[in-house]
Every structure is written in structure tokens, then in C-alpha cells.
Amino acid sequence: MFVSPAYAQAAGSAGGIAGGVEAFLPLVLIFVVFYFLMIRPQQKRMKVHKEMLAALRRGDRVVLASGIMGLVTKVTSDTEVQVEIADGVKVRVVRSAIQEVVAKTEPVSGAKEDAKDGTETPADK
């Protein structure tokens, strides 16, 4: 009257190893989609932000993570910069608190090289 458990188990295990791979395949597919839609773009943004912070120099206009805009007056170390947020108000902030660079200054060495070549620099105009 009752079906023995052996028959029920035998019917499900007909696939063997291939059945296990098919069950694991959706998890792999989900991971691949997450990698290309979420992880990889985030890593690219982090790389660009890190390069921006490394290229920070005096005279750059920046926006801090709090939304305060200021002018970089001094690069004190690899981790800190001094930012002027108002006339005469200078604060030291951690580089990672800088969200973006609004206006980049021209490198001073490039302007001197242009003057040696005889070409007119933007400062000469």
C-alpha cells in the first residue's frame, strides 16, 4: 500500500553529477551579474577617486563630503590638506573627506616650460 522510500530516492538521483551542477549554475550566474553590475563599477569609481586625491595640490577648489566648498591652501601630508572655507578661515581635513575637485589649477612647472619655449601662457594674456 505504501510506496517504499527506496523508489522515491531512486527517481530523484537519475541525474547524478549533472543534477548537482545544474543546481549550482544559477548561483554562479547571479554572482557574475552582481560582479558586472555592482562590484566592478564601484571599484572603478574608487580608483578614479583615489587618483584624484593623489593629484590634489594647492589652489584646487574642492567640495568636502559635508558639502562645504573651499580652496586648498596647503597640502600638509599624505593624509591631510588645509582648506580655506571662508576669508581667513582655514581648516585641516583628511584627504578622504574631499568628495570632488571642482576647479583644477594649472601646474606651475608647465607654465615655466611654456614660457621657455616662447609660447604664450594663459597667465601672460
Side-chain angles (χ1 to χ4, degrees), residues 18-100:
V21 173
E22 290 175 4
F24 191 64
L25 190 62
L27 293 174
V28 172
L29 184 63
I30 289 171
F31 179 75
V32 168
V33 169
F34 270 105
Y35 177 76
F36 282 107
L37 292 180
M38 295 176 67
I39 298 170
R40 191 164 176 248
Q42 180 65 23
Q43 287 176 342
K44 282 185 176 182
R45 271 181 291 199
M46 287 173 54
K47 182 180 176 185
V48 169
H49 188 256
K50 187 176 181 180
E51 290 172 356
M52 177 207 48
L53 292 179
L56 202 62
R57 61 178 173 258
R58 197 180 93 200
D60 291 348
R61 294 200 53 80
V62 296
V63 177
L64 302 177
S66 60
I68 297 174
M69 295 183 73
L71 181 72
V72 176
T73 57
K74 183 179 179 183
V75 178
T76 54
S77 69
D78 290 340
T79 58
E80 291 182 358
V81 293
Q82 186 176 22
V83 178
E84 183 176 9
I85 57 176
D87 291 335
V89 180
K90 296 178 182 177
V91 294
R92 286 178 28 191
V93 296
V94 180
R95 277 187 190 239
S96 60
I98 296 174
Q99 194 70 31
E100 73 176 286

